[in-house]
Amino acid sequence: MAGGACDPAFRGGANLLTWAVFRGGREEGRDGAMSGNHPEIREAVAALCAGFPGEYWRKLDRERAYPTAFVKALTAAGYLAVLIPEKYGGSGLGISEAAAILEEIHKSGCNGGACHAQMYIMGTVLRHGSEKQKKKYLPKIATGELRLQAFGVTEPTSGTDTSRIHTTAKRVGNKYVINGQKVWTSRAEHSDLMLVLARTAPRDEGKKPHEGISVFLVEMRQALGKGLTVKPLRAMINHATTEVFFDDLKVPSENLIGEEGKGFRYLLDGLNAERILIAAEALGDAEWFIDKAKTYAGERRVFDRPIGQNQGIQFPIARAYAETQAAKLMTEKAIRLFDSGQACGAEANMAKLLAADASWNAADMCLQTHGGFGFAEEYDVERKFRETRLFQVAPISTNLILSYIAEHVLGLPRSF
Ligand SMILES: Cc1cc2nc3c(=O)[nH]c(=O)nc-3n(C[C@H](O)[C@H](O)[C@H](O)COP(=O)(O)OP(=O)(O)OC[C@H]3O[C@@H](n4cnc5c(N)ncnc54)[C@H](O)[C@@H]3O)c2cc1C
């Protein structure tokens, strides 16, 4: 990943200082810094991903099919249970290891979007579920016997304003009856369990608009056809996303997570982990684009020279590298704070913002570096280009992060 071979200071009349820094055409320690911490985890993940090359993802993309074999391999290797405590059958590791896994998946050209939720949405059950719920579900989630891949938050009419969701859950005896609709519920067809956000009290009844929302764990295999309908939603990328309809779906009251009415608070509690892990995926994408562009720029000859000899090609690659490194530093800071139990809302949000921007800029650069071939399916650039665009919108859009920084970090007036 180091840019040493193309470094102009090294090749043309370098002074002593540059020689010291760029010894052997590589900045010292550069490879280590780029590949990051947990080298043994990264190596093992990269080895697993090597079994799922571009042609595997291309075929799935064409058919809009789910990467079942890839997800099974990650599950069998224990990577999706990394955040589950050992007492519930997981590895009990931190967000640092989870981020390394997802970054490496994306850096290898694969996509963690098919299963990343299995890693972290169980956090809602872990933090707020009863001991009975944890014992019942977490060990099976850890082995992959039960897949908890789906979290239904977004609705067609509420948009980012979760306080305005219309899905309701009414208590009737020892059950809740759920009615409503979700959209963009990813992986619902490939999950056994789904977390669902529903209103248990009207919006105007509480002191704050977000009160009165609750979280339920729906056992999908029992619910399908009995009040639960899942419809695939074809999208720009292969993300196994769906529309979900609830029509008098009955859920046992014991499947309420935590206290009634506090669901939005529980959702917020999981957001920092989500932001950091999505940042890690975006970083992995950025690294993939930079590597792909660097390789192509060195090989493609036009006007009797490699295109990478032209500064017009080099500079965008160098800029993408610098932006990615900066985003990586912010992500590492967020990880350090998170894993030591400190507040990290600002850092986690900034990491996601910067990493999503770095990956999108790197994608654009990589496509441009490839010229017409960037559009050809077989190079994988156009697929990754479409995939990495998602990070600007989901799971949280860039504007909403900027709004968070403006209001909560800079103290600017609340805008909504
Ligand atoms: C492929 C895919 C997978 C997804 N998976 C899931 C999932 O598994 N579960 C789930 O619950 N959701 C999922 N989502 C939904 C995703 O989280 C939302 O699309 C995202 O949060 C944005 O919400 P929205 O689409 O309703 O946009 P809207 O809220 O309608 O916003 C539209 C645009 O307006 C901007 N905007 C809105 N309000 C403001 C404001 N006050 N100031 C400035 N700009 C504003 C937004 O930034 C956005 O760019 C997924 C989406 C996609 C595309």
Side-chain angles (χ1 to χ4, degrees):
M1 195 54 74
C6 297
D7 195 283
F10 174 64
R11 281 191 284 102
N15 62 29
L16 273 181
L17 186 63
T18 31
W19 273 112
V21 175
F22 292 100
R23 208 170 296 144
R26 261 171 206 277
E27 191 177 342
E28 277 188 323
R30 175 59 60 222
D31 278 346
M34 198 65 194
S35 52
N37 49 7
H38 310 300
E40 64 300 333
I41 292 181
R42 288 174 185 272
E43 265 172 44
V45 173
L48 184 151
C49 289
F52 299 92
E55 59 193 338
Y56 172 77
W57 296 98
R58 257 173 262 146
K59 187 168 184 295
L60 295 172
D61 189 58
R62 238 176 272 135
E63 296 166 1
R64 288 293 193 269
Y66 188 73
T68 307
F70 177 67
V71 176
K72 274 192 180 158
L74 286 176
T75 308
Y79 292 129
L80 302 184
V82 76
L83 291 172
I84 297 179
E86 283 176 289
K87 73 184 263 207
Y88 300 114
S91 353
L93 295 171
I95 207 81
S96 178
E97 288 84 356
I101 291 166
L102 289 175
E103 182 185 345
E104 211 56 43
I105 287 173
H106 280 250
K107 190 176 167 185
S108 304
C110 300
N111 194 318
C115 53
H116 56 194
Q118 176 89 355
M119 240 186 205
Y120 59 83
I121 64 177
M122 64 79 208
T124 305
V125 180
L126 181 64
R127 278 185 301 272
H128 304 291
S130 64
E131 194 51 37
K132 194 175 162 200
Q133 287 169 331
K134 289 188 228 185
K135 281 194 178 136
K136 181 173 179 190
Y137 294 111
L138 292 179
K140 288 185 179 169
I141 293 171
T143 59
E145 189 185 329
L146 282 179
R147 298 161 301 168
L148 173 54
Q149 294 275 19
F151 202 164
V153 178
T154 310
E155 297 188 4
T157 52
S158 58
T160 315
D161 185 357
T162 307
S163 78
R164 290 182 195 278
I165 58 169
H166 287 112
T167 298
T168 55
K170 286 209 171 77
R171 177 107 193 208
V172 182
N174 60 355
K175 291 194 169 29
Y176 282 91
V177 182
I178 303 184
N179 279 289
Q181 181 186 349
K182 298 287 172 183
V183 70
W184 301 118
T185 311
S186 300
R187 305 163 296 270
E189 292 173 296
H190 306 278
S191 193
D192 305 300
L193 305 168
M194 174 173 19
L195 286 167
V196 176
L197 227 56
R199 272 219 165 271
T200 38
R203 188 174 184 272
D204 50 17
E205 214 170 75
K207 287 191 204 114
K208 291 184 179 166
H210 287 104
E211 284 177 11
I213 292 174
S214 304
V215 185
F216 296 90
L217 189 68
V218 174
E219 299 205 8
M220 298 181 71
R221 279 183 292 196
Q222 291 170 14
L224 278 168
K226 293 180 197 153
L228 178 72
T229 310
V230 177
K231 286 191 184 163
L233 180 53
R234 201 176 160 91
M236 184 173 103
I237 56 170
N238 184 23
H239 204 78
T241 197
T242 68
E243 289 177 285
V244 175
F245 301 88
F246 305 96
D247 186 11
D248 282 338
L249 173 70
K250 293 177 186 64
V251 174
S253 55
E254 66 204 38
N255 283 30
L256 169 75
I257 303 292
E259 284 179 52
E260 202 182 278
K262 300 219 167 137
F264 187 75
R265 180 73 255 159
Y266 302 161
L267 181 72
L268 290 186
D269 284 349
L271 290 188
N272 288 338
E274 183 185 80
R275 302 279 191 270
I276 291 171
L277 294 176
I278 297 297
E281 292 190 339
L283 286 175
D285 273 356
E287 288 162 331
W288 184 89
F289 286 120
I290 292 165
D291 195 46
K292 193 92 176 163
K294 194 187 77 167
T295 304
Y296 189 75
E299 289 167 355
R300 173 73 169 168
R301 293 187 74 84
V302 183
F303 297 112
D304 202 23
R305 52 154 79 177
I307 57 168
Q309 200 175 332
N310 304 302
Q311 289 190 327
I313 293 288
Q314 290 174 1
F315 286 2
I317 303 177
R319 182 178 292 277
Y321 180 82
E323 286 173 354
T324 303
Q325 285 294 301
K328 197 160 173 139
L329 284 176
M330 182 55 77
T331 308
E332 283 166 0
K333 184 176 181 190
I335 287 171
R336 268 199 311 278
L337 291 171
F338 186 99
D339 274 342
S340 58
Q342 298 179 64
C344 66
E347 289 77 8
N349 274 287
M350 289 191 284
K352 194 272 173 184
L353 174 85
L354 296 172
D357 282 353
S359 83
W360 179 233
N361 293 341
D364 194 40
M365 171 281 291
C366 186
L367 195 125
Q368 194 68 19
T369 303
H370 280 74
F373 288 114
F375 293 81
E377 197 186 49
E378 66 172 294
Y379 282 76
D380 295 315
V381 175
E382 61 84 31
R383 173 177 57 81
K384 292 286 281 183
F385 178 92
R386 285 183 280 118
E387 287 174 358
T388 217
R389 184 62 177 79
L390 179 66
F391 297 133
Q392 294 289 335
V393 173
I396 181 77
S397 72
T398 300
N399 274 2
L400 269 290
I401 293 190
L402 290 171
S403 160
Y404 174 90
I405 296 169
E407 186 185 325
H408 296 281
V409 182
L410 301 177
L412 287 162
R414 191 181 170 87
S415 69
F416 56 86

